[in-house]
Amino acid sequence: MIPADSTRPADAQAAKDFVAEWVMDAVNTLWPTAQSKYPNIPPMNLGMVAHIYFERLTNLDLVHALAEAHPQFMVRAEESFREGILGEIARRGEGGSIRPDLILFRIGGDIETAIEEVVAVWDLKTGDAMITQEWAEKTAARLGIPLEWIYTIRPD
């Protein structure tokens, strides 16, 4: 577990800033698109559409842009983690699991000893909902990061 007062190394901060800028641009593009394409669906369903768009755009664009700009880092969208085991991946929708919308990792080691270190976590919110303290604490504990490394993404 990374201590709460930890600061990111400069390369990790640069990668986090790169992803944060991309995320805001993406969300501010996809949210109006979802709203105009589906003007009559309930807000909760519209939020689900935005999450699907976000995951697809991340996988189609951000993964490659980040690899080019910061090759020692990678992102994964909508990955679930099991309760009680630090960093263990769960089946999507598995009971008791948590699923941040986006995770930024630093990749270390070599092909046989690869290590993924979580650098930042984002969760997309399209309505009035906020990240709850309970969810943030569970996420931080399961990923071994300080609470301060968890961010809300919200369209402008």
Side-chain angles (χ1 to χ4, degrees):
M1 180 84 113
I2 298 171
D5 60 351
S6 294
T7 56
R8 288 181 194 85
D11 65 335
Q13 185 63 44
K16 181 259 177 193
D17 293 345
F18 178 90
V19 172
E21 184 177 340
W22 183 94
V23 161
M24 284 313 303
D25 288 346
V27 167
N28 287 326
T29 298
L30 68 82
W31 182 240
T33 301
Q35 289 176 311
S36 66
K37 189 168 184 176
Y38 303 102
N40 299 316
I41 67 172
M44 183 176 149
N45 293 7
L46 190 59
M48 290 174 14
V49 168
H51 277 81
I52 292 167
Y53 283 4
F54 181 74
E55 181 179 11
R56 289 181 180 166
L57 191 56
T58 296
N59 292 333
L60 290 171
D61 185 57
L62 178 58
V63 168
H64 306 289
L66 181 63
E68 189 173 299
H70 299 276
Q72 68 278 26
F73 293 89
M74 66 179 214
V75 290
R76 287 202 295 268
E78 299 289 344
E79 188 162 75
S80 297
F81 293 88
R82 214 167 254 134
E83 185 172 10
I85 303 171
L86 184 66
E88 184 174 322
I89 297 171
R91 188 181 74 263
R92 191 172 190 150
E94 182 176 310
S97 66
I98 55 142
R99 188 174 68 229
D101 293 316
L102 186 65
I103 303 172
L104 173 63
F105 298 90
R106 174 202 305 274
I107 306 165
D110 57 35
I111 196 85
E112 293 179 9
T113 62
I115 300 167
E116 295 177 353
E117 175 189 9
V118 177
V119 174
V121 172
W122 288 268
D123 201 60
L124 174 60
K125 300 296 182 190
T126 56
D128 295 332
M130 301 294 288
I131 293 175
T132 66
Q133 187 67 26
E134 178 186 10
W135 185 90
E137 288 172 0
K138 283 182 182 179
T139 300
R142 291 184 198 178
L143 298 177
I145 61 169
L147 284 170
E148 295 78 20
W149 292 12
I150 299 173
Y151 304 93
T152 301
I153 312 162
R154 191 177 300 282
D156 289 336

